[in-house]
Amino acid sequence: FLTIIIILTSVSSAISQWSYVSRPSGARFNSISVPAANVIWAACDSTKAFRSTDFGNTWVLRNSGLPSGNLYGISALDTSTCWIGTVTGSIYKTTNGGLNWVQQLSQSGSFTDGIKMFNANYGIFYADPLGSGQQFQLRYTTNGGTNWILSPNSPVSQNDYGVINAWDWIDTGRVWVGAANATPSATSARIFKTTAGFGGGNWTAVTVLGSGTTDGLYWQAIAFTDANNGLAGTNGGNIRRTTDGGATWQLVSNPPGLGTIAVVNMHGFKDGSNLIRVSTTGQGVNKIFRTTNLGVNWTEETLTPQGISNAQEHIQFFNQTLGYAGCLNGYFLRFGNPSSVSLANTELPDNF
């Protein structure tokens, strides 16, 4: 029999800051997943699915069996098992580290916005409706993706659609999902919420005010720290806070020194720190800010030139001291110093 040894990790609390790590290709990072301190999977443009097992220093391309096109949404359990979404809203799974991918859900006319597997069996999927008047593709699986079931009472599109990475959760029951109003210069868009999980449905929709652009108004960044407190941001630079679980949303002052911006992504910690990081882009400059009081105060974090010139599309943290950001044009950033972290490897040999 085969024994797989997993080396437990311990992260140094050395001085943490953002650094430029690597550029596996020129393809934009759309979504990343961090199942272990040193393990990162990435869904990128141009059929690029990458995996790193050394903190993002080096990458391998693992896209055999994936259809041609951009990839969006990714969720991995370890170095071997991962799910990824396509530009049409289909889902593929690998159990051998990406050596080959097998289709689980076939769709056309949709668009993958996110995948999250909580364990080997249960996961959730967020994708665009198949058209106006159609239900958002909010699906769940209880058998590792063999079946992806449409969530009961999944919201119906009202000339709105999903946005990549625009969701967050506290647990399997409480999930928030942002939507995009496609009406030019829209002044409101919806945020959906369930407290019963994707399997229970029970979706509620809250219309949240904002200032849209010619493309419409997108609630494209959402982060919660607990069941009540969270932030949401738009492509028009609006930031709102909630302290009642998303029932109501109040205006937040933008970080100081910014002109016209778009809020790109957010990451919220669920560890009692109340910490939320926000990435912004505007006027050719990209920035990351943090707050621990829902935007009452902001602290700007120092970025390298690669980070300043390329938007941080998706931010994911393994813990307080180690995180990653996948950027426009294929640049990859790391927050923290992993020098004292031992590598975790759960992958079977290729010839097993």
Side-chain angles (χ1 to χ4, degrees):
F1 68 98
L2 176 68
T3 300
I4 300 175
I5 299 175
I6 303 175
I7 302 175
L8 297 179
T9 66
S10 61
V11 181
S12 169
S13 58
I15 297 174
S16 297
Q17 60 184 352
W18 290 101
S19 59
Y20 166 63
V21 182
S22 58
R23 191 187 187 201
S25 77
R28 173 180 60 189
F29 281 90
N30 292 317
S31 303
I32 61 175
S33 178
V34 185
N38 59 291
V39 179
I40 309 103
W41 289 78
C44 303
D45 280 355
S46 305
T47 324
K48 297 290 197 301
F50 290 107
R51 191 200 63 184
S52 173
T53 58
D54 60 1
F55 309 97
N57 292 314
T58 62
W59 300 82
V60 290
L61 179 65
R62 293 292 176 91
N63 62 353
S64 178
L66 292 174
S68 178
N70 297 340
L71 301 171
Y72 302 90
I74 193 165
S75 185
L77 298 181
D78 48 40
T79 55
S80 299
T81 306
C82 184
W83 291 256
I84 200 168
T86 73
V87 70
T88 65
S90 297
I91 303 174
Y92 287 75
K93 178 184 180 181
T94 182
T95 56
N96 57 14
L99 294 177
N100 66 280
W101 296 82
V102 177
Q103 188 178 69
Q104 290 191 321
L105 176 68
S106 176
Q107 293 194 116
S108 60
S110 184
F111 182 100
T112 301
D113 300 302
I115 302 173
K116 170 60 181 177
M117 295 299 299
F118 291 92
N119 53 52
N121 294 313
Y122 184 76
I124 57 179
F125 174 68
Y126 165 36
D128 285 14
L130 301 179
S132 185
Q134 302 294 313
Q135 288 181 297
F136 277 77
Q137 294 295 299
L138 300 174
R139 294 178 176 267
Y140 68 99
T141 181
T142 59
N143 54 17
T146 300
N147 304 104
W148 287 94
I149 304 165
L150 188 66
S151 180
N153 306 118
S154 181
V156 173
S157 171
Q158 300 176 359
N159 195 36
D160 53 0
Y161 50 89
V163 196
I164 181 69
N165 305 320
W167 63 342
D168 201 7
W169 48 85
I170 296 299
D171 48 38
T172 58
R174 290 165 289 187
V175 186
W176 297 262
V177 176
N181 183 344
T183 305
S185 302
T187 57
S188 67
R190 297 190 293 172
I191 295 176
F192 307 117
K193 172 188 175 181
T194 180
T195 57
F198 275 44
N202 191 30
W203 291 95
T204 57
V206 176
T207 298
V208 185
L209 300 180
S211 301
T213 69
T214 55
D215 295 324
L217 180 64
Y218 306 173
W219 287 109
Q220 62 186 24
I222 292 181
F224 275 75
T225 58
D226 56 39
N228 294 313
N229 298 290
L231 292 177
T234 75
N235 60 321
N238 315 119
I239 302 178
R240 299 286 189 270
R241 77 164 62 93
T242 181
T243 56
D244 56 13
T248 60
W249 295 85
Q250 293 78 41
L251 177 67
V252 174
S253 297
N254 283 1
L258 296 178
T260 302
I261 64 163
V263 180
V264 179
N265 192 230
M266 294 182 177
H267 179 85
F269 287 84
K270 283 72 174 173
D271 58 3
S273 66
N274 301 317
L275 175 60
I276 295 178
R277 280 189 171 86
V278 178
S279 65
T280 68
T281 186
Q283 302 173 326
V285 177
N286 302 281
K287 297 186 176 186
I288 294 179
F289 298 88
R290 70 177 182 269
T291 179
T292 56
N293 52 19
L294 297 179
V296 174
N297 303 105
W298 296 97
T299 300
E300 182 176 354
E301 298 187 330
T302 302
L303 295 176
T304 64
Q306 296 86 353
I308 293 172
S309 58
N310 295 276
Q312 292 75 58
E313 302 290 333
H314 198 199
I315 302 171
Q316 291 287 283
F317 272 72
F318 179 71
N319 59 24
Q320 278 273 4
T321 60
L322 183 65
Y324 301 96
C327 302
L328 192 68
N329 296 315
Y331 291 94
F332 191 74
L333 308 182
R334 183 173 62 223
F335 180 92
N337 180 6
S339 60
S340 64
V341 180
S342 301
L343 300 185
N345 191 349
T346 60
E347 184 179 22
L348 298 178
D350 292 349
N351 59 356
F352 175 74

